[in-house]
Amino acid sequence: REFVLRAAAGEHVHQDAVIRGYDGRFLTVDFQILPVLDDANQVTHLVASGLDITKRKQAEVRLQESETRFRALVENTPDWIWEVDVSGVLTYNSPQVSAILGYAPEELIGRSPFDLMVGADVKRIGNLFTEIVRTGQPFANLEHTNLHRDGRTVILETSGAPIHGPNGELVGFHGMDRDITARKQAET
């Protein structure tokens, strides 16, 4: 193989390779080949080691496939998918926020959803969010009025769930907002 020739030329080689195992299965192996040099700086022999990383590579493929499915789902749902930290600052926005509120997703990163609410909803939902953070509980169907970038009002229904860090601590929430303006107008 090419990487053995590189090692024979004096190069430390670290490379993954797919090989066939004794049982006929294909394995992914993390190889390291070190040249051993004599006093004249000539390669006298090679020291090689290999670590079977097949399961790790398979897990990486499954994770990539899962991320692709998740991204397709999030980017093709009509709802605005978001994440906030425990302070209520947006850390992620799906592309649908553009259709719902007229803002590009990156424009709202670092802002609070409360910046977009109007009237008494700012205080009402703010108080609810304070309690939600205190309890760390999921929430559903919170209705509130927001201002679209073009000045019109949009009624949203918000649901979310807590995000916990590695030690179980509350680090934020993720959820979705659904535009229910047409439904509310029809009810009226």
Side-chain angles (χ1 to χ4, degrees), residues 74-107:
V74 166
E75 292 181 357
N76 291 299
T77 183
D79 300 323
W80 166 27
I81 309 297
W82 49 261
E83 286 187 353
V84 295
D85 62 19
V86 290
S87 304
V89 173
L90 289 160
T91 58
Y92 171 79
N93 296 294
S94 68
Q96 288 70 16
V97 71
S98 297
I100 294 172
L101 292 174
Y103 294 92
E106 60 276 3
E107 287 182 277

Side-chain angles (χ1 to χ4, degrees), residues 157-171:
E157 182 179 74
T158 301
S159 298
I163 302 171
H164 296 283
N167 298 320
E169 73 280 14
L170 181 67
V171 296

